[in-house]
Amino acid sequence: MDPNVLHNLSYGMYIVSSNKGDLLNGQIVNTVFQITSEPVSIGISINNKNLTHEYIESSGHFSLSILDQRTPLSYIGKFGFRSGRTEDKFKGTNFIRLQSGCPVVLDNALCYVAAKVVKKLDCFTHTLFIGTMIESKMLKAGVPMTYDYYHQEKHGTTPSSAPTFIKEEAPGAKKEVAMQKYRCVVCNYIYDPAVGDPDGGIEPGTPFEKIPDAWVCPICGADKTQFEKAD
C-alpha cells in the first residue's frame, strides 16, 4: 500500500474550541465536514487524549473557526503544537464566549460556526463528534486555508495526534533536489532555504547557516539548536 495517496484527500484548516466551566481550550483540526443541511450538522474528529476532547465531552458544545489562507505558521503552531495542559492558548488571543460558554477564536478567522453535540462515534484513537449548528457568522472576506496549501505553500507539518498523520512517505516518493534543508526535532517543521520564512523575515534563498541566531521555528518556537539536517 502507498500511504501517499492519502495526500490527495481534501481538507481545510480550522480551530475547534470548547470549554469546561470557565476553562477554555482549542486546537487545530483538519478533519471537519458538513453532514446534513436540514438540520445543518457538522462532524469533527478529535484525538481521545487531547484536552479539547475532554472539554467537548464536558460541555457538549464546540465552535469551529475557519482560518484565512494568510494565517501565520506561528499562530497555527500555537493551537496545533502546544498543549492546553501546560499553557493558556487563549492568552493574547482575540475571542468571544457564546451564551453556552463555548469560546470562539476570531484571530485569522474568516467565519465561525458553533454547534451542540448530538451524537458521537468511537473511531479507534479518535472520536467523531457530530453537532447541529446553533450559531454562525461571517467575519471577513478571504480565501480559506486548505490542508494542501498549508503543506505545499506554507511548508507546515502535522502532529502525530492528528487523524491525517502519516508516519513516513512510502519508498519511491518524489524528492526535490535543493539546498540543504533542516528539520525541527520538536515539531518536524522543515526549513527549506529555497522558500525561507517570509513571515519570520527570512528571505527565500537564505541558507540555514545564515539565519540569525535569534530566529525560532515558525511553528513551535524552538531555537536553531533544535534543528538537524534533513535527509
Side-chain angles (χ1 to χ4, degrees):
M1 291 189 296
D2 185 353
N4 293 288
V5 301
L6 300 175
H7 289 305
N8 292 290
L9 296 177
S10 180
Y11 304 93
M13 292 290 285
Y14 317 92
I15 294 178
V16 168
S17 305
S18 191
N19 69 295
K20 187 176 183 179
D22 291 331
L23 301 175
L24 312 177
N25 198 58
Q27 67 172 74
I28 294 292
V29 171
N30 58 20
T31 310
V32 173
F33 48 95
Q34 182 179 345
I35 299 174
T36 60
S37 60
E38 186 59 44
V40 176
S41 60
I42 305 291
I44 60 172
S45 179
I46 306 292
N47 190 290
N48 297 335
K49 296 180 180 179
N50 287 4
L51 188 63
T52 305
H53 183 284
E54 178 184 326
Y55 285 14
I56 295 175
E57 287 269 29
S58 174
S59 69
H61 290 84
F62 64 84
S63 71
L64 179 69
S65 300
I66 300 175
L67 293 178
D68 191 320
Q69 184 172 269
R70 297 169 296 180
T71 302
L73 278 178
S74 58
Y75 198 78
I76 294 174
K78 177 180 182 179
F79 282 90
F81 288 87
R82 300 177 187 176
S83 172
R85 292 186 172 90
T86 58
E87 68 176 84
D88 180 4
K89 297 182 184 182
F90 281 82
K91 184 177 181 180
T93 298
N94 183 27
F95 70 97
I96 59 173
R97 292 192 71 173
L98 305 178
Q99 188 172 0
S100 65
C102 186
V104 176
V105 173
L106 302 179
D107 288 329
N108 300 299
L110 298 176
C111 53
Y112 70 81
V113 172
K116 178 180 180 181
V117 176
V118 293
K119 292 179 183 290
K120 61 180 181 177
L121 178 64
D122 183 358
C123 299
F124 310 108
T125 57
H126 289 65
T127 296
L128 178 64
F129 290 103
I130 300 174
T132 53
M133 185 173 71
I134 57 175
E135 190 171 336
S136 63
K137 185 177 182 179
M138 293 295 302
L139 299 173
K140 63 180 180 180
V143 179
M145 182 182 289
T146 65
Y147 195 50
D148 182 68
Y149 184 88
Y150 168 68
H151 276 286
Q152 301 301 325
E153 301 298 327
K154 304 287 283 187
H155 296 270
T157 58
T158 304
S160 59
S161 60
T164 54
F165 175 74
I166 299 176
K167 188 173 183 180
E168 59 183 33
E169 290 187 334
K174 182 179 179 181
K175 295 183 179 180
E176 297 180 356
V177 178
M179 290 185 286
Q180 178 64 58
K181 300 177 183 180
Y182 282 77
R183 182 182 69 87
C184 175
V185 299
V186 178
C187 71
N188 288 319
Y189 166 78
I190 300 294
Y191 174 77
D192 183 350
V195 176
D197 175 23
D199 290 342
I202 308 301
E203 295 294 329
T206 305
F208 185 79
E209 295 78 6
K210 298 293 185 179
I211 298 175
D213 291 339
W215 179 83
V216 296
C217 174
I219 294 183
C220 71
D223 61 35
K224 285 184 66 177
T225 64
Q226 297 296 303
F227 279 73
E228 63 182 15
K229 289 183 178 180
D231 294 334

